[in-house]
Every structure is written in structure tokens, then in C-alpha cells.
Amino acid sequence: ISMAITRLSDNCLLDVNEAWQVMTGFQKEEVLGHSILEFASWADPSERQKLLQQLKEHGQIQNFEFQIMHRSGEIRQLLMSADLIELAVEACMVSLALDITERKKTEEELHRSKERFHALVQNSADLIAVIDETGIIQYASPTSERILGYTTAESIGRNFIEWVHPEDIPLALESLISRSREAGTANQSIEVRGQHKDGTWRDIEVLGTNLLTDPVIKGIVLNMRDITGRKQSEKEIAQAEERFHKAFYSGPVGLAIT
């Protein structure tokens, strides 16, 4: 944490520590006895005036964020706390500042990643849900309303097992436990019956991806596809084949295919 003592009447630097020198790029012997404005150039000068005003009104300031220009020309993001003190009958400011440039970059990247994720799932035809390791839904895409009848708000906070047919719960739980123990995407999807809000059952194909350690997702992503129509078609085809088989082999008159 950098430290500096500044005389308020003329902004003269009275003392700085090594961290301040690293943060600004200037050496102690260069700056002592000179105005801080010669070395610590604020990206937005109005921010410094705001800080000084608050300091004069309250005698101290906590967690004030601002930007300065490093000697190299690089903009650095700082988090400062300061106190108003008196030295040799002079009003001075002792300030402690933490360089949070990298932290802010990380936060911005996480924010952009979240936006990319949301943009991706918002436009997906499948229901995308993010659950924690216990099965509680942390996020559900808008498609949840079309597939299962529940809005995103109605889905969040529920356990996904509530959607699953009782006979399929053992399979769903086994898959959840297995996926929570191993990072990455499951080798194959599972099929379960999910209950629509209107009480009907839908055939759902589910593929899980463990992203619990991902700083953006922090959960298991379930990609759920409504395959009710496909399953119904498969059932109708199987029934038609069965009828044909019975007609061909069990009819009173022999049939031949030429």
C-alpha cells in the first residue's frame, strides 16, 4: 500500500514510501519538496477537487476510487483512504492508496464474459440452466418458459429435481453427482421426463458441463432440449412397424413384396 504525506496549502510532498514510488514511477528524491501535481497527474482533475472537498468536510475519506497517470503514461486505477492531520501547524493529508488496476481489469473481463454468456444463451433454442452442486437453479434462459412453462424468475432458486419425473430422479441424481466430481462436458446426454407447468410431461434430453471452477459461470451448465416431438414420432413409427409386421406375418392371406 502506498503512503504519501502532502501539505494542503501548496500540495508539497513531505514524505512517500517505496510503494508510492512504484505506483507512480517517480523516485523519492525527485519528488520531496515539490508539488504532488508535478508527478501524480490525475486523469480527471475534478476528482481530486472532489476528494479534497470531502476531506475538508469530514476530516477523512474512505475507499475513494480515481485514476492517475504513471510516469510511463499508463493509466492506473487507485483506491484511496486519507486523513486530515496537522504537522508543524500546517494542515496536511496522509493518504494510503492501493493499486487496483489489475483487479478492475479482471472485473471488467468477468463482466464482458457474463454478457457474452447471456447473449449466447438468450438466443439458444434449448433451455440453458446453471445449477450449483446441490441442484439449485442459479440461472435459466428465457426458453424455459417455452419448454417447461416457467419464467426465468420462477425457475431461479428451485431445485431442478422438482422438474423431473419421480421414476427418472435416480438417473438425474446419479448424473448430477458424477458431473459435479469431474470438470468438463459429460460423454453423453441423458433423457428424463420433465414436468411442464401445466402438469404435462415432456421428454427432455440433458447434457451437463461442469463449470463450477469457472469464475464467470460457477456452476454446472445444463443444456436441455425438448425431444417430445421426436420421441412421439419414434413411437408412432415403431407402432406402424409393429402393425405392418403383424399384418405381414399373421394375415389370413399370404403377402408378398415384389
Side-chain angles (χ1 to χ4, degrees), residues 119-162:
L120 177 65
V121 300
Q122 291 275 0
N123 298 317
S124 173
D126 297 340
L127 194 172
I128 308 296
V130 179
I131 62 174
D132 64 15
E133 59 271 25
T134 67
I136 301 299
I137 299 170
Q138 308 295 315
Y139 171 82
S141 64
T143 321
S144 62
E145 188 168 9
R146 177 176 61 80
I147 293 179
L148 291 176
Y150 295 98
T151 65
T152 296
E154 290 174 321
S155 302
I156 292 175
R158 300 181 60 179
N159 195 303
F160 87 102
I161 290 296
E162 296 177 30

Side-chain angles (χ1 to χ4, degrees), residues 96-133:
L96 300 176
L98 181 66
D99 188 336
I100 59 172
T101 306
E102 296 307 316
R103 189 182 82 185
K104 296 296 285 188
K105 287 181 180 177
T106 300
E107 290 175 353
E108 290 171 3
E109 180 55 36
L110 287 175
H111 179 69
R112 286 193 293 269
S113 295
K114 287 180 180 179
E115 288 184 334
R116 288 194 295 268
F117 173 76
H118 287 151
L120 177 65
V121 300
Q122 291 275 0
N123 298 317
S124 173
D126 297 340
L127 194 172
I128 308 296
V130 179
I131 62 174
D132 64 15
E133 59 271 25

Side-chain angles (χ1 to χ4, degrees), residues 85-98:
I85 63 172
E86 189 174 287
L87 291 177
V89 200
E90 292 275 6
C92 298
M93 176 178 69
V94 56
S95 59
L96 300 176
L98 181 66

Side-chain angles (χ1 to χ4, degrees), residues 37-57:
L37 300 181
E38 298 178 33
F39 309 99
S41 177
W42 287 54
D44 182 355
S46 67
E47 288 294 307
R48 185 171 190 276
Q49 295 305 316
K50 185 188 300 183
L51 180 146
L52 292 176
Q53 182 63 35
Q54 292 183 25
L55 186 64
K56 289 176 181 179
E57 290 178 359

Side-chain angles (χ1 to χ4, degrees), residues 10-56:
D10 56 4
N11 299 310
C12 179
L13 276 168
L14 303 180
D15 195 14
V16 297
N17 67 355
E18 185 177 348
W20 188 93
Q21 298 172 67
V22 173
M23 185 180 71
T24 63
F26 292 97
Q27 298 300 308
K28 185 173 184 176
E29 55 270 20
E30 293 181 90
V31 302
L32 292 190
H34 295 270
S35 170
I36 191 173
L37 300 181
E38 298 178 33
F39 309 99
S41 177
W42 287 54
D44 182 355
S46 67
E47 288 294 307
R48 185 171 190 276
Q49 295 305 316
K50 185 188 300 183
L51 180 146
L52 292 176
Q53 182 63 35
Q54 292 183 25
L55 186 64
K56 289 176 181 179

